[in-house]
Short mmCIF file of all heavy atoms in Angstrom, two decimals:
data_model
loop_
_atom_site.label_atom_id
_atom_site.label_comp_id
_atom_site.label_asym_id
_atom_site.label_seq_id
_atom_site.Cartn_x
_atom_site.Cartn_y
_atom_site.Cartn_z
N GLN A 1 67.79 -83.42 36.97
CA GLN A 1 66.50 -83.17 37.57
C GLN A 1 66.45 -81.72 38.07
O GLN A 1 65.43 -81.05 37.89
CB GLN A 1 66.29 -84.16 38.72
CG GLN A 1 65.05 -83.97 39.50
CD GLN A 1 63.83 -84.56 38.83
OE1 GLN A 1 63.93 -85.33 37.90
NE2 GLN A 1 62.68 -84.18 39.27
N ALA A 2 67.49 -81.24 38.72
CA ALA A 2 67.52 -79.88 39.23
C ALA A 2 67.49 -78.90 38.07
O ALA A 2 66.84 -77.85 38.14
CB ALA A 2 68.77 -79.67 40.08
N ARG A 3 68.22 -79.28 37.05
CA ARG A 3 68.23 -78.40 35.88
C ARG A 3 66.85 -78.35 35.26
O ARG A 3 66.39 -77.31 34.83
CB ARG A 3 69.26 -78.92 34.88
CG ARG A 3 69.36 -78.04 33.69
CD ARG A 3 70.41 -78.61 32.77
NE ARG A 3 70.20 -78.03 31.51
CZ ARG A 3 71.04 -77.35 30.82
NH1 ARG A 3 72.25 -77.20 31.25
NH2 ARG A 3 70.76 -76.83 29.67
N GLU A 5 64.02 -78.78 36.80
CA GLU A 5 63.16 -77.97 37.67
C GLU A 5 63.46 -76.49 37.49
O GLU A 5 62.58 -75.64 37.50
CB GLU A 5 63.37 -78.39 39.13
CG GLU A 5 62.75 -79.71 39.44
CD GLU A 5 63.01 -80.14 40.88
OE1 GLU A 5 63.45 -79.30 41.71
OE2 GLU A 5 62.77 -81.31 41.15
N HIS A 15 56.35 -67.28 31.83
CA HIS A 15 54.90 -67.33 31.55
C HIS A 15 54.17 -66.29 32.41
O HIS A 15 53.30 -65.55 31.92
CB HIS A 15 54.38 -68.75 31.81
CG HIS A 15 52.92 -68.88 31.57
ND1 HIS A 15 52.38 -68.82 30.30
CD2 HIS A 15 51.88 -69.05 32.43
CE1 HIS A 15 51.08 -68.94 30.40
NE2 HIS A 15 50.74 -69.09 31.69
N LYS A 32 43.43 -46.38 26.72
CA LYS A 32 43.36 -45.62 25.47
C LYS A 32 41.92 -45.59 24.94
O LYS A 32 41.46 -44.56 24.45
CB LYS A 32 44.30 -46.22 24.42
CG LYS A 32 45.75 -45.91 24.68
CD LYS A 32 46.65 -46.54 23.62
CE LYS A 32 48.11 -46.26 23.92
NZ LYS A 32 49.00 -46.91 22.95
N ILE A 42 33.09 -35.81 24.61
CA ILE A 42 33.31 -34.35 24.67
C ILE A 42 32.94 -33.71 23.34
O ILE A 42 32.28 -32.67 23.29
CB ILE A 42 34.77 -34.04 25.06
CG1 ILE A 42 34.99 -34.40 26.54
CG2 ILE A 42 35.11 -32.58 24.81
CD1 ILE A 42 36.46 -34.36 26.97
N GLN A 54 22.78 -22.78 17.75
CA GLN A 54 22.24 -22.49 16.42
C GLN A 54 20.72 -22.47 16.44
O GLN A 54 20.10 -21.61 15.84
CB GLN A 54 22.74 -23.50 15.39
CG GLN A 54 24.21 -23.36 15.05
CD GLN A 54 24.72 -24.46 14.15
OE1 GLN A 54 23.99 -25.40 13.82
NE2 GLN A 54 25.98 -24.37 13.74
N ARG A 59 15.73 -19.45 16.46
CA ARG A 59 14.48 -19.10 17.14
C ARG A 59 14.41 -17.60 17.37
O ARG A 59 13.37 -16.96 17.13
CB ARG A 59 14.38 -19.86 18.47
CG ARG A 59 13.02 -19.72 19.16
CD ARG A 59 12.98 -20.50 20.47
NE ARG A 59 13.81 -19.92 21.49
CZ ARG A 59 13.49 -18.85 22.20
NH1 ARG A 59 12.38 -18.22 21.97
NH2 ARG A 59 14.31 -18.39 23.12
N ARG A 73 2.37 -5.00 10.09
CA ARG A 73 0.90 -5.14 10.02
C ARG A 73 0.23 -3.99 10.77
O ARG A 73 -0.76 -3.42 10.29
CB ARG A 73 0.47 -6.48 10.63
CG ARG A 73 0.67 -7.65 9.72
CD ARG A 73 -0.04 -8.90 10.25
NE ARG A 73 0.22 -9.18 11.65
CZ ARG A 73 1.32 -9.77 12.10
NH1 ARG A 73 2.26 -10.16 11.26
NH2 ARG A 73 1.49 -9.99 13.39
N ALA A 82 -6.11 5.53 8.28
CA ALA A 82 -5.95 6.92 7.87
C ALA A 82 -6.52 7.14 6.47
O ALA A 82 -7.17 8.16 6.21
CB ALA A 82 -4.47 7.31 7.91
N ARG A 89 -13.64 11.68 4.55
CA ARG A 89 -13.60 13.15 4.54
C ARG A 89 -13.79 13.67 3.12
O ARG A 89 -14.56 14.60 2.88
CB ARG A 89 -12.27 13.64 5.13
CG ARG A 89 -12.16 15.15 5.22
CD ARG A 89 -10.86 15.59 5.88
NE ARG A 89 -9.67 14.85 5.53
CZ ARG A 89 -8.97 15.01 4.41
NH1 ARG A 89 -9.35 15.89 3.51
NH2 ARG A 89 -7.89 14.30 4.19
N MET A 109 -30.60 30.39 -10.47
CA MET A 109 -31.76 30.31 -11.38
C MET A 109 -32.76 31.42 -11.04
O MET A 109 -33.39 31.97 -11.95
CB MET A 109 -32.40 28.93 -11.29
CG MET A 109 -31.56 27.87 -11.97
SD MET A 109 -32.24 26.23 -11.80
CE MET A 109 -33.60 26.34 -12.95
N THR A 117 -24.04 35.46 -16.48
CA THR A 117 -22.61 35.24 -16.65
C THR A 117 -21.97 34.70 -15.37
O THR A 117 -21.17 33.76 -15.41
CB THR A 117 -21.92 36.55 -17.05
OG1 THR A 117 -22.63 37.13 -18.13
CG2 THR A 117 -20.48 36.30 -17.46
N LEU A 119 -23.43 33.08 -13.00
CA LEU A 119 -23.92 31.73 -12.75
C LEU A 119 -23.08 30.69 -13.50
O LEU A 119 -22.68 29.67 -12.93
CB LEU A 119 -25.40 31.61 -13.17
CG LEU A 119 -26.01 30.22 -13.07
CD1 LEU A 119 -26.02 29.77 -11.61
CD2 LEU A 119 -27.40 30.21 -13.65
N MET A 123 -20.85 27.82 -11.69
CA MET A 123 -21.13 26.40 -11.97
C MET A 123 -19.86 25.70 -12.46
O MET A 123 -19.57 24.57 -12.06
CB MET A 123 -22.25 26.26 -13.00
CG MET A 123 -23.63 26.59 -12.44
SD MET A 123 -24.93 26.61 -13.69
CE MET A 123 -24.85 24.96 -14.31
N LEU A 130 -15.78 19.66 -7.98
CA LEU A 130 -16.38 18.33 -7.87
C LEU A 130 -15.51 17.30 -8.60
O LEU A 130 -15.28 16.20 -8.09
CB LEU A 130 -17.80 18.34 -8.46
CG LEU A 130 -18.53 17.00 -8.45
CD1 LEU A 130 -18.67 16.49 -7.02
CD2 LEU A 130 -19.90 17.14 -9.10
N ASN A 135 -11.81 12.98 -8.36
CA ASN A 135 -10.49 12.42 -8.69
C ASN A 135 -9.74 12.02 -7.41
O ASN A 135 -9.11 10.96 -7.36
CB ASN A 135 -9.66 13.43 -9.49
CG ASN A 135 -10.16 13.57 -10.92
OD1 ASN A 135 -10.85 12.68 -11.43
ND2 ASN A 135 -9.85 14.68 -11.56
N GLN A 143 -5.60 3.88 -3.65
CA GLN A 143 -4.60 3.72 -2.59
C GLN A 143 -5.09 2.73 -1.54
O GLN A 143 -4.31 1.92 -1.05
CB GLN A 143 -4.30 5.07 -1.94
CG GLN A 143 -3.49 6.00 -2.82
CD GLN A 143 -3.31 7.38 -2.19
OE1 GLN A 143 -3.90 7.67 -1.15
NE2 GLN A 143 -2.49 8.20 -2.82
N GLU A 150 -1.36 -4.91 0.07
CA GLU A 150 -0.15 -5.00 0.91
C GLU A 150 -0.47 -5.73 2.21
O GLU A 150 0.30 -6.55 2.68
CB GLU A 150 0.37 -3.59 1.22
CG GLU A 150 0.95 -2.87 0.03
CD GLU A 150 2.45 -3.07 -0.07
OE1 GLU A 150 3.06 -3.58 0.87
OE2 GLU A 150 2.98 -2.73 -1.10
N GLU A 160 3.15 -17.57 6.95
CA GLU A 160 4.32 -18.38 6.62
C GLU A 160 5.32 -18.36 7.78
O GLU A 160 5.90 -19.39 8.12
CB GLU A 160 4.97 -17.86 5.35
CG GLU A 160 4.15 -18.08 4.09
CD GLU A 160 4.73 -17.37 2.87
OE1 GLU A 160 5.80 -16.78 2.96
OE2 GLU A 160 4.08 -17.43 1.83
N SER A 170 8.93 -27.21 17.03
CA SER A 170 8.76 -28.66 17.13
C SER A 170 10.06 -29.31 16.72
O SER A 170 10.48 -30.29 17.17
CB SER A 170 7.62 -29.12 16.24
OG SER A 170 7.91 -28.83 14.89
#
Side-chain angles (χ1 to χ4, degrees):
Q1 176 80 14
R3 183 179 162 123
E5 286 178 15
H15 179 70
K32 285 180 182 178
I42 289 170
Q54 289 174 356
R59 188 179 70 77
R73 282 192 311 280
R89 183 177 39 79
M109 287 176 74
T117 310
L119 175 64
M123 286 174 60
L130 178 60
N135 287 339
Q143 288 175 353
E150 291 267 349
E160 291 171 5
S170 62

